[in-house]
Amino acid sequence: MASILVPKESFAQPTAVDLGLSVKWADRNIGSDTPEEFGFYFAWGETKAKTKADYTWTKYKFELGTDAHGPFSKYVTREAYGTVDYNTMLDLEDDAARANWGGKWRMPTKWECEELKNKCKWEWISIGSHDGYKITGPSGNSIFLPAAGRRDDKGLQYFGVFGDYWSSSINTADPYCALELSFYSSYAFVNTPCFRYEGCSVRPVSK
């Protein structure tokens, strides 16, 4: 099983990899110096570049109540969860990629995650002691997504087994969740709902 690599407050500049898709994908997670490092874990819509001590609803940026039903202060598509704003995509001010890397970097949309899943070859490999997917695009270039797991109120879960990567898209039917790209060694899933307060990896894209 992979060892936990501690993310740094400063890190090397990322490279935009042209996989032959509609966007270029970063070669590493936010908070990583190398493709295999896990990096930081972000609650959806939070941008502070560090690993939080407490991933719960009460510590979530947009939570005004105490549970999954809100009310939420932003990104609300149903009245049951707060004042409806019909905002289904992260604003750049709440985008961890733009906040930490600047430039044209941003978090991928659910459609861009689908493109990565459907148009690329996925191969489960190990780099050192870290498992994850080598993803090769139509161009022949590739990136590596480590199985970094996710963080919740119980701490770091499933590292070395699962990968959970945020998209910038809310789950419109139940906006207490946002959508992510998730995977384990046998299969990758797109548009998987995940509680917004949970800490997941961010792999940015750019034009």
Side-chain angles (χ1 to χ4, degrees):
M1 180 171 288
S3 59
I4 302 174
L5 299 182
V6 178
K8 307 170 180 64
E9 292 297 331
S10 61
F11 35 84
Q13 288 298 306
T15 298
V17 180
D18 184 358
L19 297 173
L21 305 176
S22 62
V23 292
K24 296 177 181 178
W25 285 77
D27 67 335
R28 67 199 68 195
N29 294 345
I30 296 177
S32 302
D33 281 327
T34 63
E36 69 269 21
E37 290 182 45
F38 294 163
F40 298 120
Y41 297 83
F42 295 89
W44 191 82
E46 296 187 359
T47 61
K48 192 170 184 180
K50 75 180 192 71
T51 295
K52 293 170 59 174
D54 188 3
Y55 290 85
T56 60
W57 283 118
T58 57
K59 298 296 183 179
Y60 177 57
K61 177 180 179 180
F62 299 114
E63 172 64 54
L64 300 177
T66 58
D67 59 38
H69 296 284
F72 298 117
S73 62
K74 197 173 182 180
Y75 305 106
V76 180
T77 57
R78 293 178 60 188
E79 291 183 358
Y81 299 95
T83 302
V84 175
D85 58 17
Y86 297 108
N87 194 348
T88 62
M89 302 282 292
L90 278 176
D91 293 331
L92 287 177
E93 67 189 44
D94 302 318
D95 188 306
R98 183 61 59 90
N100 288 283
W101 284 1
K104 296 183 178 180
W105 292 108
R106 58 174 175 79
M107 290 167 60
T109 66
K110 65 177 182 179
W111 299 282
E112 289 159 350
C113 291
E114 288 173 346
E115 182 183 48
L116 185 73
K117 167 64 170 61
N118 295 328
K119 293 188 178 181
C120 297
K121 176 184 176 182
W122 288 58
E123 180 185 7
W124 186 262
I125 66 170
S126 297
I127 297 181
S129 61
H130 289 77
D131 296 330
Y133 272 107
K134 177 183 179 182
I135 303 170
T136 304
S139 68
N141 295 327
S142 63
I143 60 173
F144 178 75
L145 292 183
R150 66 173 179 262
R151 287 187 177 271
D152 58 21
D153 55 348
K154 299 179 179 64
L156 181 58
Q157 306 287 318
Y158 312 119
F159 71 94
V161 179
F162 280 92
D164 290 293
Y165 287 78
W166 283 127
S167 79
S168 60
S169 305
I170 198 73
N171 184 28
T172 55
D174 293 299
Y176 61 89
C177 292
L179 301 177
E180 64 176 9
L181 169 67
S182 61
F183 58 78
Y184 60 97
S185 61
S186 300
Y187 198 73
F189 304 84
V190 181
N191 299 340
T192 306
C194 186
F195 291 128
R196 287 161 60 169
Y197 75 87
E198 293 187 292
C200 297
S201 303
V202 172
R203 179 60 63 94
V205 298
S206 70
K207 288 293 187 179

